[in-house]
């Protein structure tokens, strides 16, 4: 049973890696880097007139975990308020740090696919990278308002 779930998660991760929906070239945003794996990613978050996140995009290179995590993140944040988005990012990072139970990832759409990664210490930084980048952008957005 758990094998079936693991391969479902792998499938979700592979799909976001191979067919990212939110990847496009970005400028003027610094990369956040994960030297231990060679991943680098930057995240752009723009608000619409209603104050909700209209578009989230990412750019970068790295392993399948880091890149698929960025695509999942981007899809998740669109349509959310910056406060809701921050809460989701904090939850994801808290699960990776082992402070919250992995079942809480069920609240975060495709991010549940990273439940297995949460048990792999060497891949945690890969999965967390884009979420940390998003948090920096969200902090900037909320400072400006
Ligand atoms: Zn990596």
């Amino acid at each position: 049973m758990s094998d079936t779930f693991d391969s479902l998660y792998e499938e979700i991760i592979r799909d976001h890696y191979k067919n990212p929906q939110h990847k496009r070239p970005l400028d003027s945003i610094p990369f956040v880097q994960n030297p231990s794996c060679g991943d680098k990613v930057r995240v752009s978050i723009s608000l619409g007139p209603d104050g909700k996140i209209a578009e989230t995009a990412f750019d970068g290179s790295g392993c399948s975990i880091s890149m698929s995590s960025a695509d999942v993140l981007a899809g998740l944040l669109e349509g959310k308020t910056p406060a809701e988005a921050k809460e989701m990012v904090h939850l994801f990072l808290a699960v990776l740090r082992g402070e919250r139970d992995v079942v809480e990832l069920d609240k975060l759409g495709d991010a549940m696919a990273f439940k297995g990664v949460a048990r792999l210490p060497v891949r945690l930084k890969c999965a967390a990278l884009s979420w940390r980048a998003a948090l920096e952008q969200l902090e900037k957005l909320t400072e400006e308002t």
Side-chain angles (χ1 to χ4, degrees), residues 34 37-39 62-66 122-123 125-127:
N34 172 21
C37 181
D39 310 316
C63 68
S64 60
I65 300 284
S66 64
V122 292
R123 309 315 296 277
K125 284 181 185 166
C126 304

Side-chain angles (χ1 to χ4, degrees), residues 20-75:
Q21 303 296 305
H22 302 272
K23 190 174 184 183
R24 63 176 174 80
L26 300 171
D27 304 314
S28 72
I29 295 172
F31 280 110
V32 176
Q33 314 230 14
N34 172 21
S36 62
C37 181
D39 310 316
K40 59 175 188 175
V41 69
R42 52 187 170 189
V43 173
S44 146
I45 298 173
S46 45
L47 296 180
D50 58 359
K52 292 184 178 174
I53 294 168
E55 198 199 16
T56 306
F58 76 99
D59 179 19
S61 59
C63 68
S64 60
I65 300 284
S66 64
M67 294 297 105
S68 61
S69 178
D71 198 52
V72 167
L73 160 86

